Amino acid sequence: MPRRFPKSAVVWQGGFILLLVFALVLAVRNIDANLARAGISVSFDFLSSHAGFDINESLIPVSSESSYGEVLLAGAINTVVLSLICILGATFIGVVMGVLRASNHYLGVRLALVYIEVMRNLPKLLILLALFLAVINALPPVRQSWALHDMIFLSNRALYFPALEAGSGMRLLIVLACLWPVSIFVLGKVARRIQDASGTVYPVFWPVTGVLVAVVAASVLFGWADYPVSYPMLQGFDFQGGHRISIQFLVLAAALSIYHGGQVAELVRGAIEAVPNGQFEASRATGLSFLQMMRLVVLPQAVRIVVPPMGNQYLNITKNTSIALAVGYSDLVSVMTTSINQTFRPIELMTLSMGVYLVICLAVSFAVNAYNARVSSRGG
Amino acid sequence: MSAISRDVPIMKEGSLRAPRIGLVKQIRSNLFGSKRDTLLTVVLGVVIAAAVYFAVDWLFVSAAAPWAPAESCAAVAGACWPFVVEKYRLILFGTYPYDEQWRSFLASVLLIAAVAVSMLPSFHNGRLAWLWGAVGIGFYVLMRGGYFGLDYVQPERWNGLPVLLMLAIFGLVFAFPVGVLLALARYQSQLPAIRAFAVLYIELVRGVPMIMVLFLGLFVLPLMMPEGITLSPLLTTMVALVFFHSAYFAESVRGGLQSVPRGQHEAADSQGLGYVQKTRLIILPQALQRSMPAIMNTVLGAYKDTSLVVIIGIHDIMATAKMAFSDPSWQHYGLEAYLLVGIWYLATCWCLSSYSRWLEARTS
C-alpha cells in the first residue's frame, strides 16, 4: 500500500529543499565569483600538470618531475600503508593489554589499567608530538647513525636496512609466501578430517612453517637461488642503496598504535568478560592448556562480540592517520595541502581527497561486515 | 592470567564459612601461582621498575629544581623546571599582550565556571541557553576588548588556553542542538527528504577525518562568502568544528531515540500531543538520558580532538608550548612543555569522565 503523507509534510519538505537549493546555488555562485576574481575556474585539468615538489617517501616512483595526479596517488598509497601498519600495531597492543586487563594477575591488571586510562585522557596529537620530539632528540644525525653490523643504520632522519633486489631468490620467496597460508589452510582441513575420524591430532602450523623455512635455508646454502642484496652506504649527506623508512613514519605508526591500542584493549577486555565463566571452567575440565583454551574456546566467542566495534575502531585509525601532517609525513592530506598552496584549487583537491577517504572507509567497513557475517553465521 | 587457574581452597567439612586465605599467601599465589604467572610477574616487574626508575630520575633526581637559576639546566640530565617557571605564562596565554593577560585568565575561568554550573543536573533545562548566551558575550568582550575601557586585542593574538576552551566548549555547545535536530530528522519517517539529507550529512561527515573538515573551513568556507566578507580563521574553525561534532552527537542521540519504547510514542499520540510537544516532553528527555554515556564519550573525544586545530595554524596550548621551546635558549626542554600540556589534558579529561560515571550512577 503506497504511504500517504499529510499536506504539512509536503510543505515542510518542499520548503527545506528550496532552502537547501537556494543555499547551494548561493555558495556555488560565490565560489565561482571568488575564483574568477583570482583568475581560475573549477577544473581537474591541473592533475596532469607538473607538481614540482618531492615527497619524502613513496611506494611508487615519484620525483620532482611528477604530475599532481601521481603525487596525490603516492600520498593516498602512503595513507593506506600507514593505516594498515597502525591497525596491525593497535590490534597487537590492544589484544595484549586487553587480555592483561581481563586477567587477575595483580601487576598485569594495574599496568593495563594505567595504560588504558592515560591513553583515554590524552589527545593523540600530544602523544605524537611528544614522541616525535623525544625520538628526534635521542637519535644521532645521519652521519653519526647508530649502526648494527654495518648493515642496519638508525638516525634521526630514517631507518636504513639492506634490501633484497629482484632475482630468482625474490621469486622463490614470493612463491613460498603465497604457498604458506594456502598449504596451512588445506592441510588444516585434512588434519581436522583425520581428527574427526580417528581422534589423532596432527600439528600443521609449525611443520609447514618449518619445511618452508628449510627450503629457503637450503636454497641459500646450496646456491639454488641467488639473493642479490643492496646495502645502505653513507655517501655525502645521506645513505644510498638499501631501503629506508623515515622516522616520521616510524613515530606515526608507534604513536597511533599506542594511542588506539588503549581503545582496542577496552574492547578486547569487554569481549573476554562477556564470555560466560562456565566456558573457562568447562575448558579447564576437559584438560585444555591455557593457549588451547584461548584459541579454541574463548577467543572464537570473544571475536564475535568484538568485531563490530573493532571495525569502527579501524575506521577511526584510518581517519586519524591524517595527523601525519603534524610531523611532515607525506600522507594524502599533507600532499593535498601542499598542492592547494601551490595551485589554489581547494575545491577540486578537497573533493578528490574526501572521495579517497570515503572509498577507503567504505572498503574497510565492507571488509569488516563481510567478516562479521562469516563469523556470526558459523554455528549458533 | 590466572583468571582460570584460580586455586580454590577446599571447604572444611561441617564449616559454613569460606576458608580465609592470608594476604601474603593470596599475593603469592596470584603472582607466583604457576610458571606462567611467575614469568609474567618477572617481566612486568622489570618493565614497571625500569619505567618508574627513569621517570623519577628524570622528573626529580637529576632535574633542575623550579627555584634554581635558569643556567643550572645546562648542567643537569633530567627535566628543567626553571623553564616551566619562566614560560608558563607563554604556554597558557601565548602572545596575548602581557599586561592584559589577566583578561585571558578571567575569560578562561569564566568558561570553566560555566561548564561547572552546566554540569549540575538542576541546570539541565532552558536556563542553560541564557547562561551560555551571557557567557559567550562576556568571553567575547573580555578577550576582544574595545568596550568598557578595555584595549582592543586582535583575534590573531588570542592564544593558548582561552582559545582551546573557546573552540572546545562553544564548538560543543553549538554542535549539541544541531546534533539533536539531525538525530530527530534521521529517526522519523514522515519526512523522507529531510531524513535522507540527515543520513547523507551524518555519514559523509563521519566518513572523512576531522582534519579534512577543518581544512574545508579554512579553504572552502571563505570562498562561499560573498565578496567583501572575510572570516577570521578562529570563526571558520569554530564553524567547521560545529559541523563536524554535530554528526557525532547525532549518532549518539540516535541510539537513545531508538531505545525509547514504542509504547511511549503511542501513549503520547493517544494523549493528542503534536509532534513538537511529544518530542519535547516525552521522547527527548528519555532519549537524552539513555544516551548520556555515548554523549559524554563524544564530548571527551571532541575535547581531545580540538587539539588538532594546531595543524591548521590555530594557537591552542599545544602550539604555545611549541612556541615556548622554539626560543633558542630553551630549545632542549620541549618534553617539559608537553608534559605540562599532558597534565592539563589528564586532569580535565579525568574530571569529564568522573562526571560521566557519576551521572550514570545517579540515573540508573
Side-chain angles (χ1 to χ4, degrees):
Chain A
M1 191 179 81
R3 281 176 54 205
R4 287 172 50 93
F5 292 104
K7 231 182 228 153
S8 67
V10 178
V11 174
W12 273 106
Q13 297 189 84
F16 178 75
I17 292 172
L18 269 182
L19 205 68
L20 205 64
V21 169
F22 177 70
L24 216 64
V25 168
L26 204 65
V28 168
R29 280 179 57 119
N30 281 337
I31 288 175
D32 264 351
N34 284 321
L35 287 180
R37 217 168 301 128
I40 46 181
S41 62
V42 174
S43 135
F44 284 91
D45 294 341
F46 73 98
L47 284 177
S48 54
S49 67
H50 175 69
F53 65 95
D54 207 355
I55 64 180
N56 50 21
E57 67 191 305
S58 155
L59 283 185
I60 58 171
V62 172
S63 69
S64 49
E65 302 296 307
S66 303
S67 68
Y68 280 108
E70 287 170 310
V71 182
L72 284 167
L73 179 65
I77 292 176
N78 280 347
T79 289
V80 172
V81 172
L82 184 60
S83 307
L84 287 177
I85 299 290
C86 291
I87 284 175
L88 286 178
T91 308
F92 177 76
I93 296 177
V95 168
V96 170
M97 284 295 176
V99 169
L100 272 183
R101 178 76 181 84
S103 75
N104 70 352
H105 188 277
Y106 286 155
L107 282 182
V109 171
R110 276 158 191 71
L111 182 74
L113 198 67
V114 168
Y115 166 73
I116 291 171
E117 278 304 310
V118 168
M119 288 308 138
R120 202 221 299 272
N121 291 334
L122 284 181
K124 50 192 172 270
L125 191 63
L126 181 67
I127 297 172
L128 175 69
L129 291 181
L131 193 65
F132 188 60
L133 191 72
V135 167
I136 289 286
N137 284 344
L139 292 178
V142 175
R143 294 173 65 85
Q144 284 113 42
S145 294
W146 292 345
L148 189 71
H149 294 295
D150 271 347
M151 279 157 74
I152 299 172
F153 298 90
L154 185 62
S155 73
N156 62 14
R157 200 184 295 171
L159 173 74
Y160 305 86
F161 55 94
L164 185 64
E165 289 184 338
S168 55
M170 181 79 125
R171 285 196 292 279
L172 179 70
L173 284 181
I174 291 174
V175 169
L176 291 184
C178 297
L179 213 58
W180 188 52
V182 173
S183 52
I184 285 177
F185 180 74
V186 173
L187 289 176
K189 287 239 151 162
V190 174
R192 173 134 345 140
R193 199 162 294 160
I194 295 174
Q195 189 186 351
D196 286 347
S198 68
T200 327
V201 180
Y202 289 102
V204 171
F205 182 83
W206 290 114
V208 169
T209 312
V211 167
L212 295 188
V213 170
V215 169
V216 174
S219 74
V220 174
L221 225 56
F222 303 119
W224 295 340
D226 55 330
Y227 292 91
V229 176
S230 96
Y231 293 96
M233 301 282 269
L234 189 60
Q235 277 169 14
F237 293 105
D238 204 356
F239 283 86
Q240 302 294 325
H243 265 315
R244 84 190 272 281
I245 301 179
S246 68
I247 281 299
Q248 281 88 347
F249 181 87
L250 294 174
V251 169
L252 266 168
L256 283 173
S257 301
I258 295 171
Y259 176 78
H260 284 283
Q263 299 176 7
V264 173
E266 272 298 86
L267 301 180
V268 171
R269 174 185 75 111
I272 291 179
E273 285 180 352
V275 175
N277 224 357
Q279 298 287 325
F280 290 86
E281 287 157 10
S283 33
R284 297 305 291 181
T286 42
L288 297 183
S289 75
F290 177 79
L291 286 178
Q292 279 177 323
M293 173 185 76
M294 274 294 172
R295 190 165 61 86
L296 300 172
V297 180
V298 177
L299 288 182
Q301 298 182 61
V303 159
R304 273 179 219 175
I305 305 166
V306 90
V307 162
M310 198 76 125
N312 221 352
Q313 195 56 236
Y314 287 172
L315 285 181
N316 285 343
I317 295 178
T318 308
K319 287 183 281 176
N320 284 344
T321 54
S322 57
I323 63 171
L325 185 57
V327 291
Y329 175 73
S330 301
D331 77 326
L332 180 60
V333 174
S334 146
V335 174
M336 176 197 84
T337 50
T338 314
S339 306
I340 289 179
N341 286 333
Q342 285 194 6
T343 61
F344 198 66
R345 291 190 177 279
I347 308 287
E348 298 90 330
L349 282 160
M350 296 221 59
T351 313
L352 209 64
S353 319
M354 284 176 42
V356 171
Y357 272 107
L358 286 175
V359 167
I360 295 176
C361 284
L362 280 178
V364 173
S365 85
F366 181 78
V368 169
N369 284 341
Y371 182 75
N372 198 16
R374 210 178 78 91
V375 174
S376 49
S377 65
R378 207 198 288 157
Chain B
M1 300 253 175
S2 41
I4 314 88
S5 65
R6 201 177 302 162
D7 54 336
V8 180
I10 301 157
M11 275 180 89
K12 283 205 194 82
E13 225 179 288
S15 156
L16 286 178
R17 192 184 289 163
R20 293 247 299 273
I21 319 165
L23 190 65
V24 175
K25 197 174 170 196
Q26 217 179 324
I27 290 175
R28 202 171 58 200
S29 84
N30 183 289
L31 295 183
F32 304 102
S34 67
K35 264 188 197 152
R36 200 178 43 245
D37 285 343
T38 310
L39 183 70
L40 192 64
T41 306
V42 170
V43 171
L44 292 183
V46 169
V47 169
I48 293 173
V52 170
Y53 173 80
F54 283 116
V56 169
D57 182 61
W58 189 79
L59 286 171
F60 307 110
V61 180
S62 35
W67 52 82
E71 297 76 39
S72 61
C73 283
V76 299
C80 169
W81 298 122
F83 162 73
V84 172
V85 173
E86 170 86 19
K87 294 286 188 185
Y88 80 99
R89 296 244 326 230
L90 181 65
I91 295 176
L92 285 180
F93 306 122
T95 56
Y96 202 83
Y98 195 82
D99 292 331
E100 303 286 328
Q101 283 181 1
W102 59 271
R103 283 160 53 184
S104 266
F105 176 74
L106 219 58
S108 308
V109 171
L110 180 69
L111 284 186
I112 295 173
V115 170
V117 169
S118 316
M119 280 178 163
L120 299 173
S122 56
F123 263 87
H124 290 179
N125 51 40
R127 278 188 287 173
L128 274 183
W130 294 105
L131 173 75
W132 282 102
V135 167
I137 294 169
F139 180 86
Y140 184 75
V141 168
L142 264 176
M143 288 301 285
R144 182 180 173 278
Y147 310 97
F148 309 117
L150 295 172
D151 288 341
Y152 171 72
V153 180
Q154 59 268 56
E156 289 74 35
R157 298 189 67 176
W158 300 10
N159 285 170
L161 194 56
V163 167
L164 170 70
L165 292 173
M166 174 186 95
L167 289 176
I169 296 173
F170 287 119
L172 288 169
V173 164
F174 287 121
F176 186 69
V178 180
V180 171
L181 286 181
L182 279 169
L184 287 173
R186 187 172 184 172
Y187 186 62
Q188 49 80 35
S189 56
Q190 295 295 309
L191 309 169
I194 291 180
R195 185 195 150 119
F197 170 78
V199 171
L200 191 70
Y201 177 83
I202 292 170
E203 295 305 326
L204 205 65
V205 170
R206 283 162 48 90
V208 297
M210 179 164 155
I211 295 283
M212 285 303 245
V213 178
L214 290 178
F215 275 123
L216 273 181
L218 189 69
F219 289 129
V220 180
L221 199 60
L223 281 181
M224 290 180 173
M225 293 296 125
E227 193 185 356
I229 294 186
T230 47
L231 303 174
S232 91
L234 274 181
L235 184 66
T236 58
T237 306
M238 179 92 92
V239 172
L241 285 175
V242 171
F243 273 107
F244 185 75
H245 295 325
S246 60
Y248 283 81
F249 273 133
E251 278 305 274
S252 328
V253 174
R254 187 167 71 113
L257 283 173
Q258 280 169 341
S259 73
V260 175
R262 193 71 238 152
Q264 296 288 325
H265 290 264
E266 286 158 5
D269 288 339
S270 69
Q271 296 282 317
L273 297 182
Y275 177 78
V276 175
Q277 277 181 317
K278 176 176 91 171
T279 308
R280 195 168 67 86
L281 298 173
I282 311 287
I283 307 301
L284 257 190
Q286 297 184 61
L288 288 182
Q289 195 171 71
R290 279 158 201 257
S291 50
M292 219 13 133
I295 291 175
M296 287 309 291
N297 241 346
T298 308
V299 167
L300 193 70
Y303 170 60
K304 290 197 303 176
D305 279 351
T306 306
S307 58
L308 295 189
V309 298
V310 174
I311 295 179
I312 59 164
I314 305 285
H315 293 291
D316 81 339
I317 49 174
M318 205 110 72
T320 50
K322 204 167 190 167
M323 254 183 226
F325 68 85
S326 313
D327 185 342
S329 50
W330 298 105
Q331 58 179 336
H332 300 296
Y333 310 117
L335 283 183
E336 287 86 335
Y338 283 143
L339 186 70
L340 210 63
V341 177
I343 290 173
W344 167 263
Y345 274 105
L346 278 178
T348 46
C349 291
W350 182 81
C351 286
L352 276 177
S353 50
S354 313
Y355 172 70
S356 128
R357 271 195 296 270
W358 174 77
L359 210 59
E360 233 174 292
R362 211 182 73 97
T363 50
S364 67

